Amino acid sequence: MKNTSLVSITDYSKADYMKIMEVAADFEKNSYQNLLNGKVIGTLFFEPSTRTRLSFESAISRLGGKVIGFSESGSSSVTKGETLYDTIKVVSNYAELIVMRHPLEGSARYASENSNVPLVNAGDGANQHPTQTLLDLYSILKTQNTLDNLNIFMVGDLKYGRTVHSLLMALSEFDATFTFISPDELKMPQEYKDYLNKKGLKFSEQKDIDEAVKVADIIYMTRVQKERFSDPIEYERTKNAYVLKREMLEGTKESMRVLHPLPRVNEIDTDVDSSPHAYYFEQTENGVYVRQAIISLILGLK
Ligand code: CP
């Protein structure tokens, strides 16, 4: 991982994932370690973020580093017509590592190929969100004590949801069985189903959250993302497709946990928050430790 950009979750191996889990667990025990010792990290967010940007910035601060960057492209020279190529060329003269979120699919790969320093993809359109996936893996490992042979239910916007795309690819290394629950308009794209078929992994698709959920180890909820729809009527038709309510979790495994990358709109009723199955807020805390691990390993500090 040293000096290696993280653009797609498949840039790293299963052994790399496990190393990140191990180092993240170390940071969970002791999060304040002055490993960066004043080193500068660039955080370039061309698209809004709460968790990803702030957990990266918290991770960098706890490691004794400094953050430069922007939280919206409107405060950068992009508004004057500067290209992504030029922005990356310039910022890679200022920082040891760049963390970038951008609305265009493929932008992170393009940026990494033109950066003089490693680049971490913090989400590129509907494509990938690999650091979210690594914190999801860490959350699953902590709650299930294993990553192997789990029953994973993915619910909601499986078409545009970059978090489910990256997570599917990572969990396919651990022989997961998948159930995809979505309306027809938001089904898991064929390329990801082909990916599972090639690996010989089982998956099924359904439209409703029903009795089948009793075998779930993880229910991974997602938001229907208004910002990804070109047709507002399609968004209006699908936005309330699923609302997970507490009574729907009755009869599920005691160890089952509900994850969500957040933000949520209305897809998890607030009455689930106090359920022992809810894990989405703890999941956000795990993001700090996992991002500390990713930064330290890329910069060769662990
Ligand atoms: N999970 C996630 O990516 O959240 P943000 O959009 O707030 O960063």
Side-chain angles (χ1 to χ4, degrees), residues 23-169:
V23 175
D26 177 43
F27 279 119
E28 183 165 0
K29 286 189 207 110
N30 176 17
S31 192
Y32 293 83
Q33 302 183 31
N34 190 29
L35 296 172
L36 287 174
N37 195 19
K39 284 193 169 66
V40 178
I41 311 289
T43 58
L44 310 186
F45 280 72
F46 295 87
E47 196 183 60
S49 167
T50 296
R51 276 144 294 276
T52 311
R53 185 172 68 82
L54 296 181
S55 64
F56 261 114
E57 294 186 1
S58 178
I60 294 160
S61 299
R62 292 176 194 211
L63 293 172
K66 297 211 180 331
V67 177
I68 58 166
F70 47 83
S71 57
E72 49 174 288
S73 57
S75 62
S76 76
S77 286
V78 170
T79 52
K80 301 175 202 161
E82 187 163 48
T83 61
L84 178 59
Y85 176 90
D86 284 5
T87 305
I88 293 296
K89 279 285 173 210
V90 171
V91 178
S92 59
N93 289 330
Y94 301 154
E96 311 271 341
L97 175 82
I98 294 174
V99 177
M100 186 184 89
R101 170 171 289 187
H102 197 284
L104 283 184
E105 285 144 53
S107 54
R109 180 68 66 200
Y110 174 77
S112 73
E113 286 167 357
N114 291 294
S115 174
N116 304 328
V117 296
L119 183 137
V120 174
N121 179 7
D124 62 329
N127 186 32
Q128 285 262 329
H129 195 347
T131 67
Q132 177 71 45
T133 293
L134 289 160
L135 81 88
D136 292 342
L137 288 185
Y138 187 68
S139 301
I140 295 170
L141 183 60
K142 269 178 74 178
T143 59
Q144 307 299 312
N145 294 317
T146 181
L147 289 171
D148 293 318
N149 303 305
L150 295 172
N151 269 312
I152 308 290
F153 280 55
M154 293 179 166
V155 183
D157 179 358
L158 307 185
K159 179 179 178 184
Y160 298 112
R162 58 192 172 202
T163 61
V164 286
H165 300 159
S166 307
L167 185 59
L168 173 152
M169 291 172 122

